């Protein structure tokens, strides 16, 4: 399947060293300032330039538990590369591609092996093996905590596995990063749903000193749109068929997950929600909308239109993601909204009504042939853990409430949270940035509790 092919080629060793030689080794490196996790970029580029690949990856790993992932999916043009001084008058150093090269070279050649630190400082349970859970687990394992991850899925990675398409982030890359964390002594319980099979309280009863909740956003938002069949609205009244009931209306995260499961062989190709030649409308204009649009084209859609109710200046997708989507043939409709969905007797979509109201222009109403509507308009956290844990509070949008000291502790003592589940972060590296601070908060908390116990003995 075409969606499995990775889009960007890697460097050869000669190309990587040549690119590294462009770095000026700035005394005050702006690239490092631009990186949310303060990656020591000039230091590892310097080692790469000399061909010291082991040293280069060791420097990267002091700050990042997901270097091969960051090298591929970070918003480099807004962060490190966007801050590189060379970018002021020409091309910035291609830091993302260099990081990816170093991380892949390390994995391919098994260069570095993390020393497994003795686990004497305490026991921490991490719920969720997404970017924030992996970061907390890696950082705490590295400083002497026994860490166990509880992941509800059969495969780890969270959004990295099920939310970012294979062509942008091959799943083998995610699996390699997870294997590295396991080699550090982190124990992972897959297919284990906290809030269903076990609870936060039962984790404390098992002797964990702290619990980290990094379950991300798992409830995608949707919109209800009036549905018409044979000229009659069928989405109101008794026996109503709502738009969210239609099998050709999907949430982007569910769509991407299904494509991933099919590519892994867990589902059949016929179960794909988008047929060959389909006309697909994607509602929303963030990175998930770009991923869903490009994936729909890759699996055979003949035309994909993004519908966004505002202008291009306010889209949340990265410019590079938008540019790639345009290059691949995705069409964009600004200031638009789908106001009607028309279905046939089998409830398959036949047409949509698109209304556009650009400021200072006459509104336009068009009826367009359609096969699928995919919503990519954001998500909120699931509430299972809150409902099964006493003392844990969330806000009116279901985000967990946390505090600054110790950083990331929720309203329940010893329970911490970070990443998307607290509503602070929107990208993988920002979730990692937040999780790194929470890992420090957990270490401070566990150390303090143990010290107090010792004093009171
Ligand atoms: Fe090298 Fe650019 Fe960073 Fe300067 S800002 S150290 S040139 S990568």
């Amino acid at each position: 399947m075409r969606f499995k092919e990775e889009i960007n080629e890697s460097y050869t060793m000669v190309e990587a060293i040549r690119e590294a030689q462009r770095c000026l080794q700035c005394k005050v490196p702006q690239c490092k300032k631009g990186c949310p996790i303060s990656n020591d970029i000039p230091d590892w580029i310097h080692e790469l330039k000399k061909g010291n690949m082991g040293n280069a990856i060791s420097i990267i790993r002091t700050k990042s538990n997901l270097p091969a992932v960051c090298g591929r999916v970070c918003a480099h043009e807004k962060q490190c590369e966007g801050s590189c001084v060379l970018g002021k008058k020409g091309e910035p150093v291609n830091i993302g591609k260099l990081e990816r090269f170093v991380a892949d070279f390390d994995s391919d050649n098994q260069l570095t092996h993390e020393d497994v630190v003795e686990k004497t400082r305490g026991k921490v349970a991490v719920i969720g093996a997404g970017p924030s859970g992996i970061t907390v687990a890696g950082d705490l394992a590295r400083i002497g905590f026994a860490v166990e991850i509880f992941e509800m899925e059969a495969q780890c990675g969270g959004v990295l596995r099920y939310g970012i398409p294979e062509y942008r982030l091959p799943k083998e890359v995610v699996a390699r990063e997870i294997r590295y964390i396991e080699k550090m002594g982190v124990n992972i319980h897959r297919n284990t749903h906290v809030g269903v099979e076990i609870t936060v309280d039962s984790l404390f009863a098992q002797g964990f000193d702290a619990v980290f909740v990094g379950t991300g956003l798992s409830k995608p938002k949707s919109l209800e749109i009036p549905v018409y069949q044979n000229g009659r609205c069928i989405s109101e009244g008794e026996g109503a068929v709502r738009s969210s009931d239609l099998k050709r209306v999907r949430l982007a995260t569910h769509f991407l997950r299904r494509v991933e499961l099919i590519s892994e062989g867990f589902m059949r190709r016929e179960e794909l929600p988008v047929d060959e030649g389909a006309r697909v409308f994607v509602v929303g204009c963030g990175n998930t909308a770009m991923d869903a649009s490009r994936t729909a084209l890759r699996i055979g859609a003949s035309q994909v239109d993004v519908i966004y109710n505002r202008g291009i200046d306010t889209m949340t997708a990265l410019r590079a993601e938008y540019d790639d989507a345009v290059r691949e043939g995705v069409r964009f409709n600004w200031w638009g909204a789908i106001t009607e969905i028309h279905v046939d007797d089998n409830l398959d979509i036949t047409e949509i009504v698109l209304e556009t109201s650009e400021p200072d222009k006459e509104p336009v109403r068009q009826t367009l042939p359609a096969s699928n509507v995919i919503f990519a308009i954001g998500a909120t956290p699931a509430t299972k853990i809150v409902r099964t844990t006493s003392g844990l509070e969330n806000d009116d949008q279901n985000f967990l409430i946390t505090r600054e000291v110790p950083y990331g502790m929720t309203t329940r003592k010893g329970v911490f949270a970070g990443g998307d589940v607290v509503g602070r972060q929107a990208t993988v590296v920002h979730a990692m940035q937040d999780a790194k601070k929470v890992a420090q908060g957990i270490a401070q908390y566990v150390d303090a509790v143990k010290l107090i116990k010792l004093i009171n003995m």
Side-chain angles (χ1 to χ4, degrees), residues 198-218:
I198 55 174
T199 62
V200 167
D201 288 315
S202 70
L203 290 172
F204 280 121
Q206 284 177 43
F208 286 99
D209 299 298
V211 174
F212 172 75
V213 183
T215 43
L217 306 175
S218 47

Side-chain angles (χ1 to χ4, degrees), residues 15 52 54 70 100 102 133 184 231 240 244 262 264-265 307 320 322 331 351 367-368 384 431:
E15 288 167 344
N52 294 335
C70 287
R100 168 185 162 174
V102 173
M184 287 168 65
S244 56
I262 289 166
E264 288 181 1
I307 313 284
Y322 164 77
R331 305 188 336 177
E351 292 173 336
T367 302
L368 301 167
K384 268 207 177 78

Side-chain angles (χ1 to χ4, degrees), residues 352-369:
I352 57 113
V353 172
L354 171 64
E355 291 190 23
T356 36
S357 11
E358 200 171 334
D360 307 324
K361 287 197 178 160
E362 283 294 309
V364 179
R365 179 186 159 97
Q366 305 172 74
T367 302
L368 301 167

Side-chain angles (χ1 to χ4, degrees), residues 23-26 29-31 42 84-86 93 95:
C23 173
L24 305 173
Q25 294 292 307
C26 306
Q30 297 303 313
C31 53
C84 172
V85 289
L86 288 178
V93 175
I95 300 165

Side-chain angles (χ1 to χ4, degrees), residues 210-266:
V211 174
F212 172 75
V213 183
T215 43
L217 306 175
S218 47
K219 280 178 76 178
K221 292 181 193 165
S222 184
L223 283 175
E224 289 298 342
I225 295 171
V227 181
Y228 288 81
Q229 188 180 51
N230 301 319
R232 187 176 68 87
C233 180
I234 59 167
S235 51
E236 285 169 9
E238 205 172 319
V241 179
R242 299 184 316 152
S243 58
S244 56
D245 298 330
L246 300 173
K247 62 179 185 292
R248 301 287 173 188
V249 172
R250 292 277 167 179
L251 301 169
T253 49
H254 292 175
F255 166 64
L256 291 168
R257 179 184 158 78
R258 185 167 277 230
V259 172
E260 179 52 33
L261 289 172
I262 289 166
S263 84
E264 288 181 1
F266 293 114

